[in-house]
Amino acid sequence: MTIFDYLKKNCGVAIYTDEYGNTYMETKEWEYEKIISGALEISNKGDDAFVWLIPEEVYEKHSEIEIVIAGDESVNLVRNVRRPYYRMRGVPVTREQAFDIIRRTDRFFDYVSAVCNHKDYIGCMNFDNWLIQKNHYPTGYGWIHADGTIGTNATTQKYPTVREFIEEWYKLLYAFPYLDLIIAVTWWNEEPWGDETVSEEEFCKEVAVGIYVHDRKLEILNPSDTIAKYTEYNKCYGTPPEKFEREYYERHKIEQVNPAYLRKCIEAYGLDADKMLKRR
């Protein structure tokens, strides 16, 4: 299905076309405009419904992405798990692509209003990047690495849902169509004790659901398919294994993002880095 099929089926969003071939999206929740990047707000009705015009080229581009869901997407497969532990592995990207992902997702920019309110900024929901933020422990970690490595061993935010997984990774895939990765999400709350000693076999026994992003397709996988794909990607892209631990960069005192890199991120939005950083 397309994102429009998904929104109509699961989110109470109305999608319709007028006699002139213009497509519209009507919703009572403003957040869905963030999912359909490029939609244009045309009215705010008195009944709190928002209406958005979706230009033809925007509609077609979004329709190129396929969403495939194993089972019932309304079921929360990690229900009652406060912060599910996951492992992600993916095909490396270029340093330039990594820079684009960092500047558009890093949590640091949640606190820089000129950036977080910019149309290019995506941010994070459950799968965080903390490469810039210095007052978060451990520092310098995330699922994207400055050298282009994709992957991490981490935890989501509190009590995530499959619906959140779909919406977050749809936005990321739309923005970065070259992404090719698998996320295996477990029943574990927080990190298992002695994380470094947990074998891949032990980890796979706890897998609850998978998120597979590739070739302009977003798939929600059942446990067996998730384990198979994760095992394949971990074999190809999972070395050295310690690099995926959240404490790796903190432990080795490796600075992925220095002040010059941060300035470059801000300036990529057409903003004055000196002015922005002075306010922090």
Side-chain angles (χ1 to χ4, degrees), residues 100-227:
D100 196 36
I101 294 171
I102 292 167
R103 78 172 183 91
R104 298 178 68 184
T105 64
D106 198 277
R107 283 283 187 187
F108 174 88
F109 294 117
D110 287 352
Y111 308 99
V112 182
S113 59
V115 173
C116 70
N117 293 322
H118 195 282
K119 63 182 179 62
D120 283 353
Y121 184 68
I122 300 168
C124 303
M125 185 184 300
N126 283 299
F127 301 89
D128 294 331
N129 285 315
W130 294 98
L131 282 77
I132 300 174
Q133 194 81 341
K134 300 302 182 184
N135 61 354
H136 182 276
Y137 179 82
T139 60
Y141 85 89
W143 60 265
I144 181 65
H145 304 235
D147 66 0
T149 299
I150 295 280
T152 187
N153 301 341
T155 60
T156 73
Q157 292 298 320
K158 294 179 182 179
Y159 301 108
T161 65
V162 172
R163 175 172 162 177
E164 289 176 352
F165 293 167
I166 293 170
E167 293 172 10
E168 179 171 10
W169 283 99
Y170 180 84
K171 289 188 292 184
L172 290 166
L173 179 57
Y174 183 82
F176 314 115
Y178 45 80
L179 287 176
D180 186 344
L181 56 87
I182 179 70
I183 310 168
V185 185
T186 74
W187 296 102
W188 271 320
N189 176 38
E190 301 284 356
E191 295 186 32
W193 289 106
D195 180 45
E196 293 85 350
T197 63
V198 172
S199 70
E200 291 296 332
E201 183 179 4
E202 291 175 292
F203 167 77
C204 288
K205 288 179 181 178
E206 301 298 324
V207 170
V209 64
I211 307 164
Y212 183 29
V213 174
H214 66 106
D215 302 313
R216 300 187 69 79
K217 181 183 290 188
L218 167 58
E219 298 187 63
I220 301 300
L221 303 180
N222 60 37
S224 60
D225 289 341
T226 300
I227 293 167

Side-chain angles (χ1 to χ4, degrees), residues 36-95:
I36 307 300
S37 178
L40 307 172
E41 183 177 9
I42 61 170
S43 68
N44 186 343
K45 295 184 178 180
D47 60 359
D48 295 325
F50 298 88
V51 179
W52 308 87
L53 168 65
I54 306 173
E56 182 179 1
E57 65 275 14
V58 173
Y59 185 89
E60 291 178 352
K61 189 173 180 182
H62 278 284
S63 296
E64 292 173 358
I65 297 177
E66 183 181 4
I67 300 174
V68 180
I69 303 170
D72 184 351
E73 63 270 29
S74 67
V75 175
N76 183 5
L77 298 174
V78 285
R79 58 188 176 279
N80 301 323
V81 184
R82 187 170 181 269
R83 293 183 186 273
Y85 175 78
Y86 71 88
R87 290 182 180 178
M88 179 198 300
R89 301 292 184 267
V91 179
V93 299
T94 67
R95 285 184 175 272

Side-chain angles (χ1 to χ4, degrees), residues 89 200 229-239:
R89 301 292 184 267
E200 291 296 332
K229 188 56 64 175
Y230 170 80
T231 300
E232 174 191 339
Y233 274 49
N234 189 51
K235 182 178 180 181
C236 293
Y237 313 112
T239 55

